Amino acid sequence: MEWHQHDQRTGEDAISGGHKGPILVYAAKVPSGQTAATWDGSGAVWFKLYESGLINASSQTWASDIVNANGGKHSLVIPKCIPTGQYLLRVESIALHVAQSYPGAQFY
């Protein structure tokens, strides 16, 4: 997966440095007879495939910091127990810098 604040990749952090928080990945198996290119992923079909949060409490290093350190890139290994087939992946970065007040955390 790869994040960037702007399409132009202007040299900024991939995720704004003040937007620290976890990275989550969800997957949904494409139904038989459809393709990932055309299926919209609607319904209660998503399951969590991966989550990384606070890496180091003393330094306040979050998964978002790791994404920035890797130039916007983050990878994961899909477990072998996941059946073969086509899947949609949904990747989220949750910025916690304003989570203590309304409207709260920001989902990207």
Side-chain angles (χ1 to χ4, degrees):
M1 291 134 321
E2 189 168 349
W3 284 268
H4 294 281
Q5 288 189 53
H6 305 284
D7 289 340
Q8 297 83 13
R9 300 182 183 181
T10 59
E12 300 171 332
D13 284 339
I15 298 171
S16 177
H19 288 67
K20 292 177 178 271
I23 301 295
L24 303 101
V25 179
Y26 296 88
K29 188 166 180 28
V30 175
S32 178
Q34 299 193 46
T35 69
T38 59
W39 182 55
D40 67 4
S42 61
V45 295
W46 296 90
F47 62 93
K48 189 184 294 183
L49 189 60
Y50 173 86
E51 176 179 2
S52 182
L54 185 61
I55 307 295
N56 185 312
S58 63
S59 67
Q60 286 296 292
T61 301
W62 284 85
S64 57
D65 295 313
I66 304 304
V67 170
N68 284 338
N70 289 326
K73 295 182 171 101
H74 194 72
S75 62
L76 65 100
V77 175
I78 296 176
K80 293 185 185 295
C81 63
I82 303 298
T84 59
Q86 292 187 36
Y87 287 82
L88 294 182
L89 294 180
R90 184 179 81 220
V91 182
E92 294 180 356
S93 173
I94 304 175
L96 301 175
H97 63 295
V98 291
Q100 73 283 359
S101 61
Y102 184 81
Q106 297 176 348
F107 292 78
Y108 297 95

